[in-house]
Amino acid sequence: LGSMYYFGAFPTGPLGQIWGFCQISQQTLPISRAEMEDFLAACQQAARIGGEQLLLLRDRFQTRKKNTLDFVTDADIASQTVIHDFLMSRFPDHGFLGEEQIPTLSPSPSKSVYRWVVDPLDGTLNYMHRLQSYSVSVALQRNHQVIAAAVFDPLLEEMFVASESTPAMLNGQPIGVSRCAALNQALVVVSLPAGIQSSSPELEPFLKILFHARSVRRLGSAALNLCYVAAGRLDAYWATTVNLWDIAAGWLILEQAGGTMRDLSGQPLDAEQPKFAASASLELCEEIERLLR
């Protein structure tokens, strides 16, 4: 479907009097069950082919610095390239946003209300050190709202998926949050920025959580952190230094698993600049929010 549909502009005659000029946007068109199934299948297939590239290159990648604190590997580039090519071959009118800036993949501006948001390798440092906890994250937005998502762990062969009309699943089986309601009973995971210093503003809230939670982890993949809360493996997660592509897919998966995700300021969560707490229950999320605020 194109981004806009126009039916008739009849300045004169009976047909013109009946129809006039009608403009129908994709914003108002419902998504059929078949379309949603197609979108969700594309999320999963794209995540898998990205994961295949990561495994293919894990023993022979090269690394370079994106900036003084961050790295990118050949595997990041290869994964995003195959995902981009696959999705654009299936949905050529859709927009595309990937973490890596690859000149050869710079898409033409899209007027579509649909946009794919991709992190081709979430957990690059873990990948570089051949540790577990890295993933491929693929989400589809409609009018900036995520409607379908997949997060794939290629090492464990775990595929987390959800759509706005279907529950969260792990390898085809439903998942759900733990329902932990108190921080002193919670296993919490955190994302901290690379190169954190003693003067970093993230350190004080980290210590607050550390002293109040049952235990705290730093695993390295924001997408998997959200999926692990969704699956009940973790009880809560908070972050202030991640990006849209890190959390787009995991956010939907968490919510469809019954979890809660809130902005730390108490305002509606800004997906473009996310600073949030995500948890198994509203009570736990509010406790973390109050503590960090």
Side-chain angles (χ1 to χ4, degrees):
L1 298 176
S3 63
M4 303 292 287
Y5 297 78
Y6 297 89
F7 290 90
F10 305 102
T12 59
L15 194 55
Q17 294 174 1
I18 295 173
W19 290 103
F21 176 81
C22 298
Q23 175 178 304
I24 302 178
S25 166
Q26 284 183 349
Q27 295 180 353
T28 61
L29 295 175
I31 301 174
S32 70
R33 180 176 179 179
E35 286 176 313
M36 186 61 78
E37 290 176 351
D38 190 36
F39 290 151
L40 194 56
C43 284
Q44 295 177 71
Q45 190 170 350
R48 282 192 184 279
I49 63 175
E52 290 170 0
Q53 288 296 309
L54 300 185
L55 296 181
L56 182 65
L57 294 171
R58 62 181 167 173
D59 294 319
R60 53 189 182 91
F61 62 84
Q62 293 184 342
T63 304
R64 63 177 174 82
K65 283 190 174 183
K66 285 198 289 188
N67 53 54
T68 56
L69 299 175
D70 205 0
F71 295 89
V72 63
T73 70
D74 294 342
D76 295 77
I77 303 300
S79 176
Q80 184 164 310
T81 298
V82 296
I83 291 172
H84 171 274
D85 292 350
F86 167 73
L87 292 174
M88 293 302 95
S89 69
R90 290 284 308 277
F91 309 99
D93 295 332
H94 287 192
F96 184 92
L97 173 66
E99 177 182 9
E100 308 307 333
Q101 301 300 312
I102 305 174
T104 57
L105 299 185
S106 297
S108 300
S110 173
K111 295 182 180 179
S112 174
V113 297
Y114 291 103
R115 181 175 70 166
W116 296 90
V117 180
V118 172
D119 192 337
L121 172 49
D122 186 37
T124 298
L125 194 59
N126 286 350
Y127 180 81
M128 289 166 54
H129 286 266
R130 294 170 176 81
L131 290 175
Q132 292 186 7
S133 196
Y134 60 83
S135 63
V136 182
S137 175
V138 179
L140 176 61
Q141 292 180 317
R142 186 190 196 213
N143 298 317
H144 302 287
Q145 180 76 28
V146 179
I147 62 169
V151 174
F152 181 53
D153 181 336
L155 276 182
L156 298 182
E157 296 187 353
E158 291 189 330
M159 178 71 77
F160 298 86
V161 301
S163 76
E164 65 175 7
S165 57
T166 58
M169 310 280 281
L170 168 56
N171 292 348
Q173 299 299 315
I175 56 175
V177 294
S178 68
R179 297 300 178 186
C180 177
L183 186 56
N184 62 6
Q185 298 297 313
L187 178 58
V188 182
V189 66
V190 59
S191 288
L192 294 174
I196 190 168
Q197 304 293 321
S198 60
S199 59
S200 296
E202 292 83 9
L203 192 57
E204 182 180 351
F206 167 72
L207 292 175
K208 287 183 178 181
I209 296 294
L210 183 64
F211 295 146
H212 287 79
R214 169 175 282 179
S215 191
V216 176
R217 300 288 186 268
R218 184 188 185 191
L219 301 180
S221 170
L224 285 179
N225 290 344
L226 288 167
C227 290
Y228 288 173
V229 177
R233 298 174 180 177
L234 296 167
D235 300 308
Y237 169 42
W238 69 273
T240 59
T241 57
V242 295
N243 297 289
L244 172 61
W245 47 76
D246 298 309
I247 67 160
W251 183 359
L252 178 64
I253 292 167
L254 171 71
E255 290 191 336
Q256 293 301 96
T260 299
M261 192 160 166
R262 290 163 58 96
D263 189 276
L264 290 175
S265 69
Q267 301 299 314
L269 181 60
D270 181 0
E272 300 292 336
Q273 295 180 316
K275 301 179 188 298
F276 64 89
S279 71
S281 66
L282 178 59
E283 296 88 346
L284 178 55
C285 203
E286 289 177 337
E287 184 178 356
I288 294 171
E289 183 184 325
R290 287 194 300 270
L291 190 63
L292 296 183
R293 200 186 299 176

Short mmCIF file of all heavy atoms in Angstrom, two decimals, residues 167-206:
data_model
loop_
_atom_site.label_atom_id
_atom_site.label_comp_id
_atom_site.label_asym_id
_atom_site.label_seq_id
_atom_site.Cartn_x
_atom_site.Cartn_y
_atom_site.Cartn_z
N PRO A 167 -0.15 -11.92 22.17
CA PRO A 167 0.65 -11.91 23.39
C PRO A 167 2.13 -12.14 23.10
O PRO A 167 2.51 -12.56 21.99
CB PRO A 167 0.07 -13.07 24.20
CG PRO A 167 -0.49 -14.00 23.16
CD PRO A 167 -1.02 -13.11 22.08
N ALA A 168 2.95 -11.87 24.09
CA ALA A 168 4.39 -12.11 23.97
C ALA A 168 4.65 -13.61 23.99
O ALA A 168 4.05 -14.35 24.77
CB ALA A 168 5.13 -11.41 25.09
N MET A 169 5.60 -14.02 23.15
CA MET A 169 5.94 -15.44 23.02
C MET A 169 7.45 -15.61 23.02
O MET A 169 8.19 -14.74 22.56
CB MET A 169 5.37 -16.01 21.73
CG MET A 169 3.91 -15.72 21.47
SD MET A 169 2.79 -16.81 22.36
CE MET A 169 2.85 -18.26 21.33
N LEU A 170 7.90 -16.75 23.49
CA LEU A 170 9.30 -17.16 23.39
C LEU A 170 9.32 -18.52 22.72
O LEU A 170 8.82 -19.50 23.27
CB LEU A 170 9.95 -17.22 24.78
CG LEU A 170 11.31 -17.91 24.86
CD1 LEU A 170 12.33 -17.29 23.91
CD2 LEU A 170 11.84 -17.91 26.28
N ASN A 171 9.89 -18.55 21.53
CA ASN A 171 9.95 -19.80 20.75
C ASN A 171 8.58 -20.47 20.65
O ASN A 171 8.44 -21.69 20.81
CB ASN A 171 10.98 -20.76 21.32
CG ASN A 171 12.41 -20.26 21.14
OD1 ASN A 171 12.66 -19.31 20.39
ND2 ASN A 171 13.34 -20.89 21.81
N GLY A 172 7.56 -19.65 20.44
CA GLY A 172 6.22 -20.17 20.22
C GLY A 172 5.41 -20.43 21.47
O GLY A 172 4.24 -20.82 21.37
N GLN A 173 5.98 -20.18 22.65
CA GLN A 173 5.26 -20.42 23.91
C GLN A 173 5.00 -19.09 24.61
O GLN A 173 5.87 -18.23 24.67
CB GLN A 173 6.07 -21.33 24.82
CG GLN A 173 6.33 -22.71 24.24
CD GLN A 173 5.05 -23.48 23.96
OE1 GLN A 173 4.13 -23.50 24.80
NE2 GLN A 173 4.97 -24.10 22.79
N PRO A 174 3.81 -18.91 25.18
CA PRO A 174 3.49 -17.66 25.87
C PRO A 174 4.42 -17.41 27.06
O PRO A 174 4.84 -18.36 27.75
CB PRO A 174 2.05 -17.86 26.34
CG PRO A 174 1.51 -18.97 25.50
CD PRO A 174 2.67 -19.85 25.18
N ILE A 175 4.73 -16.15 27.29
CA ILE A 175 5.54 -15.77 28.45
C ILE A 175 4.81 -14.71 29.25
O ILE A 175 3.90 -14.05 28.75
CB ILE A 175 6.94 -15.25 28.04
CG1 ILE A 175 6.83 -14.06 27.07
CG2 ILE A 175 7.78 -16.36 27.46
CD1 ILE A 175 8.15 -13.43 26.72
N GLY A 176 5.21 -14.55 30.49
CA GLY A 176 4.59 -13.55 31.35
C GLY A 176 5.56 -13.08 32.41
O GLY A 176 6.53 -13.78 32.75
N VAL A 177 5.31 -11.91 32.96
CA VAL A 177 6.18 -11.31 33.96
C VAL A 177 6.02 -12.02 35.30
O VAL A 177 5.07 -12.77 35.53
CB VAL A 177 5.88 -9.81 34.11
CG1 VAL A 177 6.24 -9.07 32.83
CG2 VAL A 177 4.40 -9.58 34.47
N SER A 178 6.95 -11.73 36.22
CA SER A 178 6.97 -12.42 37.51
C SER A 178 5.92 -11.90 38.49
O SER A 178 5.56 -12.60 39.43
CB SER A 178 8.36 -12.24 38.15
OG SER A 178 8.57 -10.88 38.53
N ARG A 179 5.47 -10.67 38.33
CA ARG A 179 4.53 -10.01 39.24
C ARG A 179 5.17 -9.62 40.57
O ARG A 179 4.47 -9.36 41.55
CB ARG A 179 3.29 -10.86 39.49
CG ARG A 179 2.45 -11.12 38.24
CD ARG A 179 1.95 -9.84 37.65
NE ARG A 179 1.18 -10.08 36.42
CZ ARG A 179 0.73 -9.12 35.63
NH1 ARG A 179 0.96 -7.85 35.95
NH2 ARG A 179 0.05 -9.39 34.54
N CYS A 180 6.48 -9.58 40.63
CA CYS A 180 7.15 -9.07 41.82
C CYS A 180 6.69 -7.64 42.07
O CYS A 180 6.66 -6.81 41.16
CB CYS A 180 8.66 -9.11 41.62
SG CYS A 180 9.63 -8.42 42.98
N ALA A 181 6.36 -7.32 43.33
CA ALA A 181 5.78 -6.01 43.64
C ALA A 181 6.63 -5.18 44.59
O ALA A 181 6.25 -4.05 44.91
CB ALA A 181 4.38 -6.19 44.23
N ALA A 182 7.77 -5.69 45.03
CA ALA A 182 8.58 -4.95 46.00
C ALA A 182 10.04 -4.99 45.59
O ALA A 182 10.57 -6.04 45.23
CB ALA A 182 8.41 -5.54 47.39
N LEU A 183 10.71 -3.84 45.68
CA LEU A 183 12.09 -3.75 45.23
C LEU A 183 13.02 -4.64 46.05
O LEU A 183 13.99 -5.19 45.51
CB LEU A 183 12.56 -2.29 45.28
CG LEU A 183 13.93 -1.98 44.71
CD1 LEU A 183 14.05 -2.43 43.25
CD2 LEU A 183 14.24 -0.48 44.82
N ASN A 184 12.76 -4.78 47.33
CA ASN A 184 13.65 -5.61 48.16
C ASN A 184 13.52 -7.09 47.84
O ASN A 184 14.30 -7.91 48.37
CB ASN A 184 13.41 -5.34 49.65
CG ASN A 184 12.01 -5.71 50.10
OD1 ASN A 184 11.20 -6.26 49.36
ND2 ASN A 184 11.71 -5.37 51.35
N GLN A 185 12.58 -7.45 46.99
CA GLN A 185 12.44 -8.83 46.53
C GLN A 185 12.83 -8.99 45.06
O GLN A 185 12.72 -10.08 44.51
CB GLN A 185 10.99 -9.28 46.71
CG GLN A 185 10.52 -9.29 48.15
CD GLN A 185 11.30 -10.27 49.00
OE1 GLN A 185 11.50 -11.42 48.61
NE2 GLN A 185 11.74 -9.82 50.18
N ALA A 186 13.32 -7.91 44.46
CA ALA A 186 13.48 -7.89 43.00
C ALA A 186 14.93 -8.10 42.56
O ALA A 186 15.86 -7.57 43.16
CB ALA A 186 12.98 -6.55 42.45
N LEU A 187 15.08 -8.86 41.48
CA LEU A 187 16.34 -8.95 40.76
C LEU A 187 16.27 -7.93 39.63
O LEU A 187 15.43 -8.04 38.73
CB LEU A 187 16.53 -10.36 40.19
CG LEU A 187 17.81 -10.58 39.36
CD1 LEU A 187 19.06 -10.26 40.17
CD2 LEU A 187 17.86 -12.03 38.85
N VAL A 188 17.13 -6.93 39.70
CA VAL A 188 17.05 -5.76 38.82
C VAL A 188 18.26 -5.73 37.89
O VAL A 188 19.38 -6.06 38.31
CB VAL A 188 16.99 -4.46 39.64
CG1 VAL A 188 16.86 -3.24 38.74
CG2 VAL A 188 15.82 -4.51 40.63
N VAL A 189 18.05 -5.30 36.66
CA VAL A 189 19.13 -5.12 35.71
C VAL A 189 19.20 -3.65 35.31
O VAL A 189 18.18 -2.96 35.31
CB VAL A 189 18.94 -6.03 34.47
CG1 VAL A 189 17.72 -5.61 33.67
CG2 VAL A 189 20.18 -6.05 33.59
N VAL A 190 20.41 -3.18 35.00
CA VAL A 190 20.60 -1.77 34.69
C VAL A 190 21.47 -1.64 33.45
O VAL A 190 22.33 -2.48 33.18
CB VAL A 190 21.26 -1.03 35.88
CG1 VAL A 190 22.61 -1.65 36.22
CG2 VAL A 190 21.42 0.45 35.60
N SER A 191 21.24 -0.59 32.68
CA SER A 191 22.14 -0.18 31.60
C SER A 191 22.89 1.06 32.06
O SER A 191 22.27 2.05 32.43
CB SER A 191 21.36 0.13 30.32
OG SER A 191 20.87 -1.05 29.72
N LEU A 192 24.19 0.99 32.03
CA LEU A 192 25.04 2.13 32.37
C LEU A 192 25.86 2.52 31.14
O LEU A 192 26.19 1.66 30.32
CB LEU A 192 25.97 1.79 33.54
CG LEU A 192 25.30 1.52 34.88
CD1 LEU A 192 26.32 1.05 35.90
CD2 LEU A 192 24.56 2.75 35.38
N PRO A 193 26.22 3.78 31.00
CA PRO A 193 26.96 4.21 29.81
C PRO A 193 28.38 3.65 29.81
O PRO A 193 28.96 3.36 30.86
CB PRO A 193 26.96 5.74 29.94
CG PRO A 193 26.82 5.99 31.40
CD PRO A 193 25.95 4.90 31.92
N ALA A 194 28.93 3.53 28.61
CA ALA A 194 30.32 3.12 28.49
C ALA A 194 31.22 4.19 29.09
O ALA A 194 30.93 5.38 29.00
CB ALA A 194 30.68 2.91 27.01
N GLY A 195 32.28 3.75 29.74
CA GLY A 195 33.23 4.71 30.29
C GLY A 195 32.71 5.50 31.46
O GLY A 195 33.08 6.66 31.65
N ILE A 196 31.85 4.91 32.27
CA ILE A 196 31.27 5.64 33.40
C ILE A 196 32.38 6.06 34.38
O ILE A 196 33.33 5.32 34.62
CB ILE A 196 30.20 4.78 34.10
CG1 ILE A 196 29.43 5.62 35.12
CG2 ILE A 196 30.80 3.54 34.73
CD1 ILE A 196 28.19 4.95 35.65
N GLN A 197 32.25 7.27 34.92
CA GLN A 197 33.22 7.83 35.84
C GLN A 197 32.58 8.02 37.21
O GLN A 197 31.36 7.93 37.36
CB GLN A 197 33.72 9.18 35.31
CG GLN A 197 34.32 9.14 33.92
CD GLN A 197 35.62 8.35 33.88
OE1 GLN A 197 36.44 8.44 34.79
NE2 GLN A 197 35.81 7.59 32.80
N SER A 198 33.41 8.28 38.21
CA SER A 198 32.89 8.49 39.56
C SER A 198 31.99 9.71 39.64
O SER A 198 31.15 9.80 40.54
CB SER A 198 34.05 8.65 40.55
OG SER A 198 34.87 9.76 40.19
N SER A 199 32.15 10.63 38.69
CA SER A 199 31.31 11.83 38.68
C SER A 199 30.09 11.69 37.77
O SER A 199 29.30 12.64 37.64
CB SER A 199 32.14 13.03 38.20
OG SER A 199 32.67 12.79 36.90
N SER A 200 29.91 10.54 37.15
CA SER A 200 28.79 10.36 36.21
C SER A 200 27.46 10.45 36.95
O SER A 200 27.31 9.89 38.05
CB SER A 200 28.89 9.00 35.51
OG SER A 200 30.06 8.94 34.72
N PRO A 201 26.47 11.14 36.35
CA PRO A 201 25.18 11.31 37.04
C PRO A 201 24.42 9.99 37.22
O PRO A 201 23.52 9.92 38.05
CB PRO A 201 24.42 12.28 36.12
CG PRO A 201 25.07 12.14 34.79
CD PRO A 201 26.51 11.85 35.07
N GLU A 202 24.78 8.96 36.45
CA GLU A 202 24.08 7.68 36.57
C GLU A 202 24.51 6.90 37.81
O GLU A 202 23.84 5.94 38.20
CB GLU A 202 24.34 6.82 35.33
CG GLU A 202 23.71 7.34 34.05
CD GLU A 202 24.56 8.40 33.38
OE1 GLU A 202 25.72 8.61 33.81
OE2 GLU A 202 24.06 9.04 32.43
N LEU A 203 25.63 7.30 38.42
CA LEU A 203 26.18 6.50 39.52
C LEU A 203 25.33 6.58 40.78
O LEU A 203 25.08 5.57 41.45
CB LEU A 203 27.61 6.93 39.82
CG LEU A 203 28.41 6.01 40.75
CD1 LEU A 203 28.46 4.60 40.18
CD2 LEU A 203 29.81 6.56 40.96
N GLU A 204 24.86 7.77 41.13
CA GLU A 204 24.06 7.91 42.36
C GLU A 204 22.77 7.09 42.31
O GLU A 204 22.48 6.35 43.27
CB GLU A 204 23.76 9.38 42.63
CG GLU A 204 22.98 9.60 43.92
CD GLU A 204 22.68 11.05 44.19
OE1 GLU A 204 23.21 11.92 43.46
OE2 GLU A 204 21.91 11.33 45.12
N PRO A 205 21.98 7.18 41.22
CA PRO A 205 20.78 6.33 41.20
C PRO A 205 21.11 4.84 41.17
O PRO A 205 20.36 4.03 41.72
CB PRO A 205 20.06 6.77 39.91
CG PRO A 205 21.06 7.53 39.12
CD PRO A 205 22.00 8.13 40.10
N PHE A 206 22.24 4.46 40.54
CA PHE A 206 22.64 3.06 40.56
C PHE A 206 22.86 2.58 41.99
O PHE A 206 22.42 1.49 42.38
CB PHE A 206 23.91 2.87 39.73
CG PHE A 206 24.57 1.54 39.93
CD1 PHE A 206 24.00 0.39 39.40
CD2 PHE A 206 25.74 1.42 40.67
CE1 PHE A 206 24.59 -0.85 39.59
CE2 PHE A 206 26.34 0.20 40.86
CZ PHE A 206 25.77 -0.95 40.32
#
